[in-house]
Amino acid sequence: MSQSRHVPVMLQRCLDLLAPALERPGSVVVDCTLGLGGHSEALLTRFPEARLVALDRDKEALRLSGERLAPFGERATLVHAVYDELPGVLERLGIARVQGVLFDLGVSSMQLDEADRGFAYAQDAPLDMRMDQTTGISAADVLNTYPAGELVRLLYAYGEEKQAKRIVSAIVREREKEPFSNSARLVELIRDALPQAAKRTGGNPAKRTFQALRIEVNGELAVLERAIPAAVKALAVGGRIAVLSYHSLEDRLVKQVFAAGAATTAPPGLPVVPEQYQPRLKLLTRGAELPTEEEVAENRRAAPARLRGAQRIREEAE
């Protein structure tokens, strides 16, 4: 159990961003990505008046963070759910609006550290990558059954992998001999498929392919596309949302939702903008904030993090 898994990324900044909304008695904060409970524990500690609702699709994460958050008793409600299910979760709990929402979209450090889950390219493991291991297709299924064109699209779109065609033709050739089951064989294949120049840049050459598989297996971008607008909608006026993303596709999506909420929807040329067209959100970060050099030195997983925050300033137009 490595120590690095206990360092939540940009923790202090997230707490500061949410603080004005959570210091009042009776406030509710949602941690949409509970993981090992690092952010949740910090939220409950810093805001003693707040109640926490935390979601995770990973049963093992829920069990471990449940132990960690046990001292907070009734103040913490942990729910087995994907974060786009937030509206239904709040409805079941009888919560109309919340004061704070936090998303940390990095794969839980636990999943990267647990060899047998097949997320990590640094050690050999079954190619699974499902965050909820009770449902859905595994990474091996994707590699063994998707048509070549679909795999190329995946690696381009989700992994931003420039060598997608080379890697995929090697995958298709190899899977005909024997289906993929373990990560080491895939890592080796990617190393062999890439030209020398491509191997010299940006860390492990398998990183982008693994990212693409993980996003596909867990439907992450599709889920996020539903989840961010749903979370914004759940905010009470004055409520705040903070989102940590780790690659440009996620960050772009968050940026678009926030920008749309912060823009006026009035037809051009109106001398006075009526209430129903006024922006719903106020942006709390200028662009995306990055972790400090000290933090990256302490926790290398923080390096790609991008933080965006917004505040709900108006109700939806009727």
Side-chain angles (χ1 to χ4, degrees):
M1 184 144 170
S2 73
Q3 193 47 41
S4 67
R5 63 156 82 169
H6 293 304
V7 187
V9 174
M10 294 178 83
L11 176 61
Q12 204 45 54
R13 187 65 190 112
C14 288
L15 295 175
D16 292 346
L17 209 58
L18 296 172
L22 296 180
E23 280 159 349
R24 296 191 286 279
S27 55
V28 177
V29 60
V30 183
D31 183 346
C32 286
T33 43
L34 173 63
L36 283 166
H39 282 109
S40 279
E41 183 178 44
L43 286 163
L44 286 162
T45 306
R46 170 134 175 215
F47 306 113
E49 303 279 4
R51 173 186 174 189
L52 169 91
V53 176
L55 317 184
D56 209 294
R57 56 162 57 169
D58 185 329
K59 287 191 164 158
E60 182 62 5
L62 285 163
R63 187 183 67 76
L64 291 168
S65 50
E67 291 168 14
R68 183 175 188 170
L69 302 178
F72 297 99
E74 297 288 289
R75 291 180 56 212
T77 306
L78 311 190
V79 185
H80 181 234
V82 184
Y83 43 65
D84 67 336
E85 297 171 320
L86 176 65
V89 170
L90 293 177
E91 197 177 331
R92 283 199 303 280
L93 294 171
I95 297 170
R97 288 297 180 88
V98 302
Q99 282 64 45
V101 180
L102 175 67
F103 283 87
D104 179 356
L105 299 172
V107 183
S108 157
S109 313
M110 176 187 82
Q111 291 161 339
L112 291 174
D113 291 341
E114 309 279 319
D116 60 353
R117 301 289 289 272
F119 284 94
Y121 33 81
Q123 58 232 88
D124 193 21
L127 278 165
D128 189 322
M129 297 197 197
R130 288 171 302 166
M131 290 185 196
D132 179 350
Q133 290 186 297
T134 60
T135 177
I137 58 167
S138 71
D141 298 331
V142 172
L143 284 172
N144 295 326
T145 64
Y146 276 32
E150 186 64 5
L151 282 174
V152 170
R153 189 191 66 76
L154 270 189
L155 296 196
Y156 269 135
Y158 295 166
E160 302 181 86
E161 172 56 81
K162 295 183 181 67
Q163 305 291 334
K165 285 191 171 128
R166 267 180 195 228
I167 291 170
V168 170
S169 57
I171 288 169
V172 170
R173 198 169 56 241
E174 282 299 310
R175 76 185 183 186
E176 280 166 12
K177 298 177 198 165
E178 188 195 338
F180 283 90
S181 59
N182 273 48
S183 57
R185 181 174 165 221
L186 178 60
V187 171
E188 198 180 327
L189 172 144
I190 292 167
R191 277 189 201 283
D192 293 345
L194 292 180
Q196 274 314 113
K199 290 183 209 181
R200 285 196 288 271
T201 55
N204 190 309
K207 182 169 78 175
R208 291 178 293 278
T209 299
F210 272 67
Q211 172 182 297
L213 287 168
R214 190 195 91 211
I215 289 173
E216 173 67 10
V217 165
N218 295 293
E220 286 173 46
L221 285 174
V223 169
L224 192 61
E225 266 177 79
R226 296 188 293 271
I228 301 290
V232 166
K233 216 170 177 153
L235 285 176
V237 171
R240 290 173 167 230
I241 177 171
V243 185
L244 274 168
S245 43
Y246 293 79
H247 57 78
S248 56
L249 298 161
E250 291 174 340
D251 183 51
R252 196 178 310 150
L253 217 154
V254 176
K255 177 185 175 180
Q256 284 165 352
V257 174
F258 284 7
T264 166
T265 53
L270 291 183
V272 177
V273 175
E275 179 67 24
Q276 74 259 37
Y277 300 126
Q278 297 277 7
R280 311 272 162 270
L281 292 180
K282 180 174 102 184
L283 302 182
L284 299 173
T285 44
R286 294 185 58 163
E289 289 186 9
L290 312 181
T292 61
E293 283 171 28
E294 296 78 34
E295 184 171 6
V296 173
E298 241 171 72
N299 178 10
R300 60 190 168 72
R301 289 187 185 143
R306 302 284 178 270
L307 174 64
R308 290 181 188 271
Q311 180 179 17
R312 184 67 182 259
I313 52 172
R314 266 188 189 74
E315 283 296 351
E316 294 293 318
E318 284 308 312

